[in-house]
Amino acid sequence: MRYISTRGQAPELGFEAVLLTGLANDGGLYVPAKLPVFSAEEIASWAGLGYAELAQKVILPFVEKDISADELKTMINATYDCFKHPAVAPLVQLGHNEWVMELFHGPTLSFKDFALQLLGRLVDYILAKRDQHLVIMGATSGDTGSAAIEGCRHSQRVKLFILHPHDRVSEVQRRQMTTLLGDNIYNIAVRGNFDDCQRMVKQSFADQSFLMGGQLGAVNSINWARIMAQIVYYFYAGIALGSPHRPVSFSVPTGNFGDIYAGYLACQMGLPITQLVIATNANDILHRCISNNQYAKQALVKTYSPSMDIMVSSNFERLLFDLYDRDGAALSQCMTRLSKDKVHALDPKRWHRARQLFDSCRVSDVETCDMIREVSQQYRYLLDPHSAIGVKAARQCRRNTQTPMITMATAHPVKFPAAVVKSGCQQPAMPDHMADLFEQPESYQVFDNDLTAVQSYMTTSVRSQ
Ligand SMILES: *Cc1c(COP(=O)(O)O)cnc(C)c1O
């Protein structure tokens, strides 16, 4: 598979190179030059496959030439064997045609594990093949950090630096990162917000001289391999509920647009999806764009769903690329305007095209807690705040009740006890494998919002071993 940049100027790359790269060197994001498309017969033949078996079918075309089917199978099996539920991504029914897909049975209890546990193995495999080492730097609003650390902590070839905003992640989230010790893992708490952390990562990628010749790799949500791994569970859900004979719809708690973009790709690859609902919290740039065609940055708001507290959604560019008929030059112009103008509208024709598949909904903190309480009373089922936003948006936006509507439950409620308690619900018990989380020693360094200080810490740490 070859990969091209959304801005049309960067060199085409194969899977290996794309896996280790962040942004393309023209500022764009890598996407497959041509998506694989599966026929209805082929999808029908996958009925009854286990999660790992299905993952092999869906992922193989994206890595072909670089990774053999057998090697891929070994990595996929090892990845999903670490999940704590035999179905890996079980479906739970709430109301009539109303479903929740639990994506939080991985080692760190959020859907980020689906991609990052595999990514860690893929990166290690390729570094070993090339006999290379890599410094990985990433920013997290909470869940990516622990999933990436878990995915990389056994690697002999990776040093991982994870930046999180100091005092702005939940205590469970922080401890999940800072108690996972490995001598190749460095936790950096920045006195600032997630965007400050993200900016430091971007600037470090733009000028890597502080590493004295070392190479920087990315695990952030623009990493293509993460998107790729997330396509699988859309097929898994659809097939379980009758696809390809029966269409399905999804509601996805959305921040950087990575998860729901994977759903869009599943649709392009042959899964009959009627509707994709973008569920946002008060940080609603995508909701304003989809509902009113107004794309405008606003100040960041702190909410009960911190993993969705972002100002701009980086993966949205990948959807825009298709809406602009994969014309890199036209998209480049569009992206320049989006970043310069206060308010920007998409070309109406392209906006309407997006609206054929996408709907959107903004859900406030109060509505989030109401939804946690309501679903708990109706069905004795406890949602985390992100998933509650998804269910609320699904109910609000669904176009018809004949089509199964599946909300992606992106995190386990135990990660976000504040919202659960606020809703008047009982705090859930910590899963067994994390029972001693609050007793373990933590390791992290706090830094001011100062790039030079962070980089010199990185340089010293990389050289010290
Ligand atoms: C990361 C995250 C999201 C947002 O996913 P995107 O791919 O960034 O849109 C939603 N919920 C949880 C719990 C997350 O960790």
Side-chain angles (χ1 to χ4, degrees):
M1 175 73 72
R2 305 296 294 168
Y3 291 85
I4 56 173
S5 163
T6 51
R7 309 257 174 124
Q9 298 295 311
E12 265 189 46
L13 298 179
F15 177 75
E16 267 187 31
V18 160
L19 179 69
L20 303 177
T21 330
L23 281 182
N25 65 15
D26 59 0
L29 305 179
Y30 276 102
V31 292
K34 195 166 180 295
L35 270 188
V37 177
F38 304 119
S39 68
E41 294 75 55
E42 197 168 6
I43 296 171
S45 77
W46 296 343
L49 291 188
Y51 192 89
E53 294 168 307
L54 181 66
Q56 290 159 37
K57 306 274 185 203
V58 174
I59 292 176
L60 186 61
F62 292 108
V63 304
E64 240 164 358
K65 296 229 164 71
D66 286 321
I67 300 177
S68 74
D70 276 349
E71 290 159 334
L72 181 68
K73 180 177 172 181
T74 307
M75 287 186 266
I76 286 178
N77 285 343
T79 299
Y80 298 107
D81 273 354
C82 297
F83 281 55
K84 313 291 173 195
H85 194 290
V88 180
L91 278 164
V92 173
Q93 184 161 20
L94 298 182
H96 173 66
N97 275 333
E98 185 187 48
W99 297 82
V100 164
M101 177 166 245
E102 295 185 341
L103 298 178
F104 51 71
H105 294 286
T108 71
L109 311 185
S110 85
F111 84 93
K112 303 285 200 298
D113 282 324
F114 277 82
L116 285 165
Q117 302 316 319
L118 180 62
L119 185 77
R121 292 182 163 85
L122 289 167
V123 167
D124 231 25
Y125 167 80
I126 285 170
L127 291 176
K129 190 162 128 185
R130 298 177 164 191
D131 193 19
Q132 282 180 357
H133 291 259
L134 191 65
V135 177
I136 294 184
M137 184 180 187
T140 182
S141 55
D143 298 325
T144 298
S146 53
I149 292 169
E150 177 67 40
C152 291
R153 71 188 171 120
H154 300 299
S155 171
Q156 306 292 315
R157 296 180 174 273
V158 168
K159 285 201 194 315
L160 177 62
F161 294 84
I162 291 290
L163 282 64
H164 73 265
H166 189 43
D167 286 339
R168 283 176 187 247
V169 299
S170 79
E171 187 178 0
V172 175
Q173 286 181 312
R174 190 193 69 236
R175 287 184 166 272
Q176 281 186 305
M177 294 189 274
T178 58
T179 59
L180 275 181
L181 305 179
D183 53 14
N184 61 338
I185 304 296
Y186 304 87
N187 278 292
I188 297 173
V190 176
R191 293 193 184 91
N193 60 30
F194 170 67
D195 289 280
D196 297 324
C197 298
Q198 182 106 303
R199 195 170 320 114
M200 284 194 189
V201 174
K202 274 201 175 144
Q203 287 171 344
S204 303
F205 271 86
D207 178 1
Q208 304 188 10
S209 55
F210 70 101
L211 285 176
M212 324 260 176
Q215 193 199 345
L216 212 51
V219 288
N220 53 2
S221 70
I222 60 162
N223 184 295
W224 165 256
R226 286 182 59 179
I227 307 276
M228 171 187 86
Q230 292 168 183
I231 299 170
V232 177
Y233 49 71
Y234 287 90
F235 277 97
Y236 193 58
I239 292 169
L241 296 181
S243 293
H245 313 297
R246 195 177 182 212
V248 286
S249 295
F250 294 92
S251 172
V252 188
T254 295
N256 260 321
F257 203 74
D259 197 0
I260 195 164
Y261 174 69
Y264 162 81
L265 291 179
C267 181
Q268 304 298 305
M269 290 163 66
L271 185 69
I273 297 181
T274 305
Q275 187 188 8
L276 286 171
V277 179
I278 301 170
T280 77
N281 63 22
N283 299 292
D284 63 344
I285 184 165
L286 289 177
H287 171 61
R288 283 177 282 122
C289 179
I290 294 293
S291 61
N292 278 327
N293 197 6
Q294 285 186 352
Y295 189 94
K297 274 193 229 177
Q298 274 180 6
L300 198 73
V301 184
K302 198 172 165 178
T303 72
Y304 280 140
S305 41
S307 305
M308 291 154 63
D309 287 350
I310 49 122
M311 278 200 303
V312 288
S313 307
S314 23
N315 282 298
F316 195 54
E317 174 165 346
R318 289 186 157 121
L319 175 68
L320 290 175
F321 183 57
D322 281 0
L323 295 176
Y324 278 79
D325 302 312
R326 308 200 124 211
D327 177 345
L331 182 68
S332 254
Q333 281 183 359
C334 169
M335 293 312 295
T336 310
R337 284 197 306 269
L338 290 187
S339 67
K340 277 202 192 125
D341 299 357
K342 273 221 158 64
V343 184
H344 184 72
L346 304 178
D347 166 14
K349 189 177 78 201
R350 306 182 197 275
W351 178 67
H352 280 291
R353 202 187 299 160
R355 302 226 331 166
Q356 287 171 9
L357 185 61
F358 289 95
D359 286 287
S360 69
C361 181
R362 173 190 52 232
V363 180
S364 69
D365 270 353
V366 171
E367 292 170 312
T368 304
C369 292
D370 286 348
M371 191 77 312
I372 294 175
R373 186 180 324 108
E374 192 177 318
V375 168
S376 148
Q377 285 169 354
Q378 272 181 309
Y379 303 112
R380 308 199 137 274
Y381 185 78
L382 188 63
L383 292 164
D384 101 290
H386 305 80
S387 312
I389 288 173
V391 172
K392 171 81 182 178
R395 290 183 178 181
Q396 200 102 337
C397 295
R398 91 193 274 192
R399 293 180 191 168
N400 74 62
T401 51
Q402 259 83 77
T403 308
M405 170 61 87
I406 304 142
T407 295
M408 293 309 190
T410 48
H412 193 294
V414 79
K415 288 190 100 163
F416 302 98
V420 170
V421 169
K422 187 88 182 170
S423 313
C425 298
Q426 184 108 38
Q427 206 168 314
M430 194 70 82
D432 287 347
H433 73 281
M434 281 172 43
D436 59 350
L437 188 69
F438 286 88
E439 277 101 68
Q440 291 186 12
E442 293 187 78
S443 158
Y444 64 107
Q445 304 273 334
V446 184
F447 285 90
D448 284 334
N449 187 4
D450 171 3
L451 182 64
T452 317
V454 168
Q455 288 186 339
S456 76
Y457 170 66
M458 290 178 64
T459 311
T460 319
S461 310
V462 169
R463 261 194 283 166
S464 72
Q465 280 172 33

